[in-house]
Amino acid sequence: MVDAQVEGMEELLKKLRILPEKVQKNVISGAVRAGAKPMSAEAKLLVPKDTGTLKKSIGIVKRRSKDKNILHFSVTPRIKKGGWIAHFLEFGTVKMSAKPFMRPAFEKKGEEAIDATRDYMRKRLDKEIAKL
């Protein structure tokens, strides 16, 4: 797990609480997805290119949770779209050295992801509050 300090987030959360619950969930869902986009794009750039199938399989996936108040998003290769090989490349095998691409993408674009999340929330909250 990664901890991060985001300046200006308290102000955004106060604005968020003004909105109806359904709109709050939509804003947060969009913000998290916006934050995942830079990491997804970077992972696609760093993936070892062979056929391009793995590159095409990388995407942002919304996962279900037992707790309806928790959102899970992940940037991941999708197995059914050719991403089954990603684990072998990322961590290596007995016969092949590791060629990581997901972890370096996270390390390079982590700060940009936080900024993208904050910027999305700022724009969307102003838009939603104007509708009220």
Side-chain angles (χ1 to χ4, degrees):
M1 181 173 261
V2 176
D3 291 328
Q5 289 288 75
V6 182
E7 292 182 24
M9 200 56 128
E10 289 300 319
E11 165 198 331
L12 293 174
L13 291 175
K14 285 180 186 175
K15 286 183 177 181
L16 184 65
R17 290 186 187 104
I18 296 170
L19 301 171
E21 190 174 326
K22 185 176 181 181
V23 177
Q24 286 180 21
K25 286 183 180 180
N26 288 340
V27 169
I28 291 173
S29 180
V32 174
R33 188 175 291 278
K37 284 181 182 178
M39 284 188 268
S40 175
E42 186 66 20
K44 287 179 180 183
L45 289 175
L46 296 176
V47 70
K49 292 170 188 72
D50 221 6
T51 62
T53 306
L54 178 57
K55 181 178 181 178
K56 291 175 189 171
S57 76
I58 296 172
I60 302 165
V61 179
K62 183 177 181 181
R63 306 229 184 246
R64 293 184 182 184
S65 174
K66 290 180 183 177
D67 184 355
K68 299 293 181 187
N69 295 323
I70 296 175
L71 289 173
H72 291 280
F73 280 89
S74 58
V75 176
T76 184
R78 290 164 287 193
I79 305 297
K80 291 181 180 178
K81 294 190 176 191
W84 59 271
I85 197 165
H87 184 81
F88 302 123
L89 288 171
E90 185 75 19
F91 300 107
T93 65
V94 173
K95 297 181 180 183
M96 179 181 81
S97 63
K99 296 176 183 140
F101 59 97
M102 294 297 288
R103 182 68 185 195
F106 174 76
E107 290 171 353
K108 278 185 179 179
K109 297 295 183 172
E111 290 295 322
E112 188 177 322
I114 291 170
D115 293 341
T117 301
R118 185 185 57 233
D119 294 343
Y120 178 91
M121 279 186 75
R122 195 170 276 142
K123 289 177 188 173
R124 180 80 187 268
L125 285 173
D126 290 340
K127 182 179 173 182
E128 293 296 334
I129 289 172
K131 286 182 183 179
L132 293 176

